[in-house]
Amino acid sequence: MKEFNYDQDFDALDFRKHPELYQVGRGEQGVLLVQPYKNEILPYWRFKTPEIAKESAEKIYELYQNYKKENDFVGMDMSRKFIQMGYTRAMRYAHHKSGKKYAENGSVYLNDEAPEKRESALIFKEYWDTIREDKEYLKMKKEHREKYEK
C-alpha cells in the first residue's frame, strides 16, 4: 500500500474535483485534511454522550449513503474515516476521562473508566462495521487503489 502523502497542498485541493489525488492510507489518515469532505462531515462528528453519538453516527452514515448514490468513493471513505475516528476517540475517553493517554514524561496514564464514552464508541463501531462489510464500498476501494495508488 502506498503511504499517505501529507505533502499535498490540502488548503488548495478540492478532492471532489480531483479524486485521483486522494489516498485511502491507513485508518484515519487525512481525515482532517481532505476538502470539501472535512467541512461537510466534521460539523456532525460528536460523541460526548451515547445519544449525541447515535445522532452523529446516523448523520455521517446518511452522508455516506448520499456519497454512495453519487458514486463518490472519496466521500464514502471520508465518512468511514470519521465514523472510525468516532470509535477510536470515544474509546480513548472511555479509558482516560481526560482524553489523554500519555503524561508529559511519556508514561501511560492509568485507566480512568468513562462508561458512557464506551457506549458512544460502540455506537460508532456498529456503523464502522457496516461500512467495512459493504461490498460496494470494498469494490470501489479496491478499484480506487488499483487505478490511483500504484
Side-chain angles (χ1 to χ4, degrees):
M1 175 178 24
K2 190 174 178 182
E3 290 297 315
F4 190 84
N5 180 4
Y6 285 101
D7 295 329
Q8 297 185 79
D9 186 357
F10 290 97
D11 292 331
L13 274 174
D14 180 333
F15 286 88
R16 182 169 284 125
K17 292 179 182 172
H18 297 284
E20 73 278 5
L21 298 176
Y22 178 76
Q23 295 171 287
V24 174
R26 286 188 176 91
E28 304 154 20
Q29 288 183 317
V31 71
L32 297 175
L33 296 172
V34 176
Q35 294 288 10
Y37 304 99
K38 173 194 158 190
N39 286 348
E40 294 171 0
I41 303 168
L42 182 61
Y44 302 106
W45 183 73
R46 302 283 180 267
F47 57 88
K48 186 174 185 175
T49 66
E51 295 77 21
I52 290 170
K54 179 130 179 78
E55 185 179 316
S56 174
E58 285 175 355
K59 179 60 182 175
I60 295 171
Y61 188 71
E62 179 184 319
L63 292 171
Y64 169 86
Q65 293 290 0
N66 290 337
Y67 293 131
K68 186 176 179 178
K69 286 177 191 168
E70 296 167 6
N71 204 31
D72 183 347
F73 170 72
V74 179
M76 291 169 66
D77 196 52
M78 286 294 293
S79 298
R80 187 262 316 156
K81 287 181 181 196
F82 271 96
I83 286 175
Q84 181 177 350
M85 189 168 66
Y87 170 74
T88 59
R89 296 310 181 276
M91 282 303 285
R92 178 177 296 162
Y93 280 87
H95 294 299
H96 309 281
K97 284 184 181 179
S98 70
K100 294 181 181 179
K101 183 175 179 177
Y102 299 101
E104 285 187 30
N105 66 5
S107 66
V108 177
Y109 285 122
L110 295 175
N111 279 0
D112 184 17
E113 297 292 320
E116 71 283 358
K117 294 298 191 287
R118 178 178 302 283
E119 192 176 334
S120 293
L122 294 177
I123 290 166
F124 278 100
K125 177 97 170 48
E126 287 180 35
Y127 286 90
W128 184 25
D129 288 346
T130 298
I131 292 171
R132 291 190 302 182
E133 295 169 5
D134 181 342
K135 291 184 187 332
E136 191 170 344
Y137 166 78
L138 295 172
K139 178 180 176 274
M140 292 172 78
K141 178 179 172 183
K142 182 178 187 270
E143 290 170 354
H144 183 87
R145 283 190 158 153
E146 288 173 352
K147 189 172 181 178
Y148 301 121
E149 296 186 36
K150 293 179 182 181

